[in-house]
Structure formats: C-alpha cells, structure tokens
C-alpha cells in the first residue's frame, strides 16, 4: 500500500492511492505538503545550481524548462526607455503594434504587460469576473493552470472546469458565467484543436461572457508547428501569452492583448495587486517580440523531438511525446524508481519522487528542469523542453538520455527512505 492517507470515496486518487489535491492536480505528501515546501524545494534547486556554477562554471548548467529567460534590452534602452515615469509612454505605440500583430489582434486592441503570465491571468479573472462563475475550458486530459484556480479563489468566483464542448454549452448556459478561460495548450502541452477553440469562443460570447484565451504556449505553437490561426483571429475578446517560452527569448512576463475596456479592467486590477510589469520588463517584452523568429521555435521543436525519440527508445511507452520534448508522468517516475530499487512500497508520493529525480539530474549532470525550479503549483511530471543551447551544453541527446538513466539508478536505492528523499528535495536545513 503506497497511499499517504485514506481518501474519501469521491476524492480522486493517483495511481498509488494517494488523494489528489484539487488545487494543484497531484497528491501532496509528507515532504511536499504545501506551497511552502515547494518554495523550499525551489531554494534547494537554486543552491544546487549555484554550487555547480561556482565549481564548474555557467556552461555546466543546461536549461530544460522551455524558458529561455534572456533579457534582450539594448544598452541605449537603459538611459531612457527603462526609466519608470516616461519610458513606458514612449514605447507604447511600438509595443501595441508588435504585440497586436503577434497575437493576431485588431487595430483598436489594447496591450498590457504583467510581471508573469500567471499574474495577468489572476488580474484578468479578478478584474472581469465580478464574483460570478468562471468556466475554464481545457483540452481532454489537461487541467487549468494553477493561476486560474487561484485567481478564482482570490476573487470568490466559482470555478467550473470543462474538457468537452457538450458540457461547455451546458455549464455556460446555466451558470451566469462572466468569463470563459480557454486554455489552448496546457503546460504539459495537451492542446485544443481549432474547431474547439472557435466553438468555445462562440459559446462564451453568445452567453454574454468574455472569451479569454490562455495562449501562453499556443500563440506560437499553433501557427508555427501546426499551421493554425493566431489566438485573436478566432474572435476571442482577450488573449495572453508568455514572453519566455515557445520561441520567445524572455524576459519572464505576460502580454495581454484584446478589447480595450477589458484590458483596462485587468490592467487596473493588476496594478492594485502589484502584478503590473515595471518599465524594464516592458522594454524587455517589446524587444523579445521584435526579435522573435519562427525559426527559434522550429529549432526547439526539432531538438525536443530528437530527445523524445531517444528517451522513448530506452524507457518505452512511459515516455509521452509533446511538441517540445518528452514527458514522463510523475506516477511513472515513482514506478520506475520502485522497480529499480526492489522496494515493495514507499511513503514518498509521485510528486516528491519527480522532485528528487530533478535534484539528482541538476546536482550530478547540470540538467535544470521545472522539477527543481518550477513555481508552486506547477506541473510535477518530468518534462524536458530543451532551450536553444541546452543540448549542446550537455554534449548532445545521448548524454541527456544517459544522465536520466544514471539519475534513476542513483536515486532508486533511496526511494524507500523518506528522510533521505526529504533532505535531497528540501536541503539539510529542512
């Protein structure tokens, strides 16, 4: 028996019987009990990365989170455009033009930049829901981003999560919905097809609700990798994307584009919460959009496909193949570790097993993943989305695959020892 605690008959459980925390979509354990321990895990990942850089240099770290996290401002931007009072006004027209084009918007649309895409989503929900229900439409097998769940919690709106059009019609029609959040591509890269996006927008607007696309990945994956439309070309009222993933180089920021009245309300709520992007981030977002090339995303996708094929050749069907790289479900991570250890059971839950494996990958091989550096509530599956220089830094695809196999072998003997796993995830001062 692997479960941490008994679950109620109606509560979903993971493959090992552990009750799933609905707010994050995975089981909590005795090590990672809440967002507090997730923050501690992030600090431990930062300590391991720092130690490796000090010992071996910055080239010893390869980023596989899919987030490039550059800061592409120019030297001459610092003197004027990054100045807080005047700079944002000077670049406003330039930013509007490039952001609206990037998102497929209309000439009269408005743009707002937030310090994170999550911040933009929360601010939009808080600013536009009016305390009424929010419907979240997600791909089958996917789930809403944690920011959607937390945004509804902050403003006291009921969240209704739907993964099919038939239920979406019913939910929107019965709930006096203020806002429909349409997640076109999840963080695990499950995606909606064009028909579902188009119909979801129509259903939302026909009911009088605002159609809001969470297009963090989809803004580029859909048109570049699948020949589809840009987000606002579906007729949605609002769309938000992330400035440091899927072909955009950074900085970390969320760019919201859409109907002026709705953008203004979201922007105002973001300012109330301190979620707005300050001038240097806004300038960085502008430069990121200006330097964007579909070729960057195509190269990321090519590298991810090559890595997926090589890892699947070693680990078999447990490796799922996304548009940007391989994914191994956290339940499969724990199963592989138990198989290698020979242990009949463990008190460690799948999310903790994946976090521990991430720490070994980082400490021993310099592979940085969201399992060590993801924010609280982020997906806990083992995901490899190589940034542009990640594979060359590691020495190529075979070296990454070998690192995964070696890390599984390194961690397996400890998987039955919760104290040892806790120290690995949280550090000795836990």
């Amino acid at each position: 028996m692997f479960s941490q605690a008994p679950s109620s008959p109606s509560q979903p459980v993971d493959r090992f019987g552990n009750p799933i925390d609905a707010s994050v979509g995975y089981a909590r354990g005795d090590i990672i009990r809440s967002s507090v321990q997730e923050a501690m895990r992030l600090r431990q990942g930062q300590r391991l990365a720092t130690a490796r850089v000090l010992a071996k240099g910055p080239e010893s770290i390869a980023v596989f989170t899919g987030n490039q996290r550059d800061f592409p401002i120019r030297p001459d931007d610092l003197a004027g455009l990054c100045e807080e009072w005047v700079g944002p006004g000077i670049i406003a027209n330039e930013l509007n033009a490039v952001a609206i084009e990037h998102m497929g918007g209309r000439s009269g649309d408005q743009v707002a930049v937030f310090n994170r895409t999550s911040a933009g989503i929360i601010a939009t929900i808080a600013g536009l829901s009016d305390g009424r229900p929010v419907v979240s439409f997600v791909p089958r097998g996917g789930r809403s981003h944690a920011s959607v769940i937390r945004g509804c919690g902050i403003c006291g709106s009921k969240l209704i999560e739907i993964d099919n059009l038939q239920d979406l019609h019913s939910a929107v029609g019965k709930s006096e919905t203020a806002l429909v959040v349409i997640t076109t591509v999840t963080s695990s890269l499950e995606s909606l097809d064009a028909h579902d996006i188009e119909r979801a927008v129509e259903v939302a607007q026909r009911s009088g609700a605002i159609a809001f696309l969470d297009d963090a990945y989809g803004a580029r994956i859909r048109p570049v990798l699948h020949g589809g439309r840009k987000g606002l070309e579906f007729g949605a009222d609002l769309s938000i994307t992330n400035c440091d993933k899927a072909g955009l180089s950074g900085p970390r920021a969320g760019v919201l584009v859409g109907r002026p009245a709705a953008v203004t309300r979201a922007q105002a709520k973001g300012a109330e919460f301190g979620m707005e992007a300050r001038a240097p981030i806004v300038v960085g977002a502008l430069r990121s959009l200006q330097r964007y090339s579909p070729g960057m995303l195509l190269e990321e996708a090519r590298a991810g496909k090559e890595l997926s094929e090589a890892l699947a050749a070693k680990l078999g069907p447990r490796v799922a193949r996304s548009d940007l790289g391989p994914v191994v479900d956290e339940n499969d991570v724990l199963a592989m570790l138990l198989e290698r250890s020979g242990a009949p059971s463990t008190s460690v839950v799948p999310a903790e097993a994946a976090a521990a494996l991430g720490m070994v990958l980082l400490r021993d091989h310099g592979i940085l993943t969201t399992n060590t550096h993801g924010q609280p509530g982020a997906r806990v599956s083992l995901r490899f989305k190589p940034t542009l220089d990640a594979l060359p830094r590691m020495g190529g695809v075979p070296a990454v695959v070998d690192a995964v196999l070696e890390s599984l072998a390194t961690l397996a003997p400890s998987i039955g020892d919760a104290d040892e796993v806790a120290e690995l995830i949280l550090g000795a001062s836990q």
Side-chain angles (χ1 to χ4, degrees):
M1 183 68 174
F2 300 101
S3 63
Q4 298 294 300
S7 61
S8 67
S10 61
Q11 184 177 19
V13 297
D14 67 17
R15 198 181 303 166
F16 298 93
N18 302 298
I20 292 174
D21 180 344
S23 68
V24 293
Y26 51 83
R28 301 285 194 183
D30 292 331
I31 301 170
I32 302 179
R33 302 185 298 277
S34 71
S35 294
V36 173
Q37 288 76 38
E38 288 177 312
M40 294 169 65
R41 180 218 65 207
L42 173 57
R43 288 201 297 268
Q44 170 67 352
Q46 290 169 338
R47 284 192 290 266
L48 292 180
T50 299
R52 187 174 180 89
V53 168
L54 292 175
K56 299 176 179 292
E59 298 298 316
S60 67
I61 298 288
V63 177
F64 283 81
T65 66
N67 304 94
Q68 191 73 25
R69 296 275 163 91
D70 293 339
F71 205 96
I73 62 173
R74 305 167 184 168
D76 58 345
D77 292 334
L78 294 171
L81 300 186
C82 290
E83 187 274 325
E84 289 284 345
W85 302 111
V86 178
I90 293 174
I91 65 170
N93 289 339
E94 195 175 8
L95 174 64
N96 285 355
V98 70
I100 289 169
E101 191 282 329
H102 191 84
M103 305 291 277
R106 300 142 293 229
S107 61
D109 280 344
Q110 189 167 312
V111 176
V113 183
F114 296 85
N115 57 31
R116 288 177 59 184
T117 304
S118 295
I121 290 172
I122 291 172
T124 301
I125 292 172
L128 300 175
S129 66
D130 296 323
R132 292 155 56 195
V134 172
V135 171
S136 176
F137 184 51
V138 300
R140 287 190 183 274
R143 66 184 305 272
S144 307
H145 192 270
S147 60
V148 176
I149 299 167
R150 289 168 177 159
C152 289
I154 286 170
C155 64
S157 290
K158 179 183 179 182
L159 174 64
I160 305 168
E161 188 171 80
I162 302 294
D163 70 354
N164 64 88
L165 286 173
Q166 182 176 349
D167 289 346
L168 179 67
H169 279 274
S170 177
V172 172
K174 293 178 180 178
S175 64
E176 298 184 346
T177 303
L179 186 70
V180 177
V181 183
I182 303 165
T183 302
T184 63
V185 181
T186 70
S187 58
S188 290
L189 301 182
E190 299 101 349
S191 62
L192 293 173
D193 63 28
H195 173 264
D196 284 353
I197 298 171
E198 185 172 49
R199 293 293 298 131
V201 169
E202 291 175 359
V203 169
Q205 293 175 337
R206 190 181 303 127
S207 73
I210 294 170
F212 173 36
L213 301 188
D214 174 2
D215 223 13
Y217 279 103
R220 290 164 297 285
I221 283 180
R222 188 176 51 256
V224 175
L225 300 185
H226 301 288
R229 283 177 277 174
K230 296 179 179 180
L232 291 173
E233 290 174 352
F234 287 97
D237 300 290
L238 295 167
S239 184
I240 194 167
T241 197
N242 191 313
C243 271
D244 71 341
K245 63 176 55 169
L248 282 182
S249 60
R252 184 180 198 179
V255 178
L256 178 70
V257 181
R259 306 293 184 185
V263 171
T264 298
R265 290 171 64 186
Q267 189 173 30
K269 189 61 67 174
E272 289 179 16
F273 291 159
M275 293 172 165
E276 79 280 15
R278 307 309 298 178
I281 301 294
V282 177
V283 177
L286 169 64
R287 299 301 181 221
S288 182
L289 290 166
Q290 288 175 328
R291 70 187 282 187
Y292 167 68
S293 166
M296 296 170 64
L297 178 55
L298 290 168
E299 176 57 25
E300 288 180 9
R302 184 205 60 76
K305 180 180 179 182
E306 186 179 353
L307 182 56
S308 293
E309 292 173 350
L311 193 60
K314 295 292 185 180
L315 298 181
R318 283 170 165 156
V319 177
R321 307 180 190 202
S322 77
D323 280 324
L324 298 180
V327 180
V328 182
D329 185 88
E330 62 270 19
N331 291 277
D332 285 319
V333 171
L334 180 54
M336 289 189 292
L337 290 166
L338 287 169
E339 290 165 5
R340 285 161 171 77
S341 72
S345 65
T346 181
S347 63
V348 174
V349 300
E352 295 165 346
L357 184 61
M359 293 297 175
V360 176
L361 283 164
L362 177 58
R363 182 194 65 194
D364 295 354
H365 304 281
I367 294 177
L368 191 152
T369 64
T370 54
N371 302 98
T372 61
H373 280 65
Q375 293 296 318
R379 293 291 183 90
V380 295
S381 52
L382 182 67
R383 289 170 287 160
F384 297 98
K385 302 171 190 172
T387 51
L388 291 178
D389 60 353
L391 289 177
R393 284 191 178 196
M394 279 298 300
V397 167
V400 176
V401 173
D402 288 345
V404 174
L405 298 177
E406 290 172 17
S407 296
L408 285 166
T410 298
L411 179 59
S414 304
I415 198 62
D417 187 332
D419 290 337
E420 192 169 339
V421 173
E423 182 172 342
L424 183 60
I425 296 172
L426 304 178
S429 60
Q430 56 180 291

